[in-house]
Amino acid sequence: MSTLAPTAEFIYSVFWLGCAIDDDYARPIGSGVAIQHDGQEYLATALHVAKDCNFNPLIRRQKQWMQAKWEIIATDELVDIAILKTNTGKLLRLVPKYGTANTVIGGIGRAMGFPAIFNSNELDLYAETPDGHPVPMAVLISTYYVPSDRDDRMTYYTGGYVNSGFSGGAMLFSTEKDWTIAGVITTKGYTYKELSSNINILEPSGLIGYCDVSTIQKLITESQQH
């Protein structure tokens, strides 16, 4: 099992996404993951994140919000995924490994994203690392799935806790030798707890839901056949 920190190809694959408010301000909405498939680049994010900015997110590079023109490649409500493509510029500096081959179950993975941390109504600087990269959070690779009633699309889970803002970020698994992007984060799990007959609260379940990268690749392939 890899005990080293994720290397540059994984760190550079995760982007902070935002919505334009005016020429001087952007509202952060979540994270996105650059994925290469069949020689083409795509941006995968949670569908609820993409909807929040009408499928036209700003993308953050070198601590600056930048505009891009996006084409909607595929969406899937069941697994909460949106796949976009841009011709505005290259997303990937280096191509990471994808999938779950040789994953060490019970090992420690990473949730990579940009947490929404607020301080006096302003987004705190710790929402990104000092050099502008995504924040890594340790997760336990204890995957299982909720079966779906359509094809083989399903939501997988790992053990862990993340802030809002990680939606659309990368779920990294440690393998026997290095790292791999296993999927795109879609939800942080909650359970309902009844305190009284008229008071209910939400408690974190300690689970993080993600769409596996094979489903994302399948959606891209299907879009190319239409």
Side-chain angles (χ1 to χ4, degrees), residues 133-148:
H133 294 314
V135 175
M137 298 286 285
V139 298
L140 178 64
I141 304 172
S142 53
T143 58
Y144 64 92
Y145 61 86
V146 177
S148 72

Side-chain angles (χ1 to χ4, degrees), residues 4 19 56 64 68-69 86 100 113 161 167:
L4 301 176
C19 291
N56 189 34
Q64 298 291 325
K69 293 182 179 180
T86 181
T100 57
Y161 297 88
S167 289

Side-chain angles (χ1 to χ4, degrees), residues 69-82:
K69 293 182 179 180
W70 299 98
E71 173 189 358
I72 301 173
I73 299 300
T75 62
D76 193 303
E77 292 274 359
L78 184 64
V79 290
D80 192 23
I81 279 293

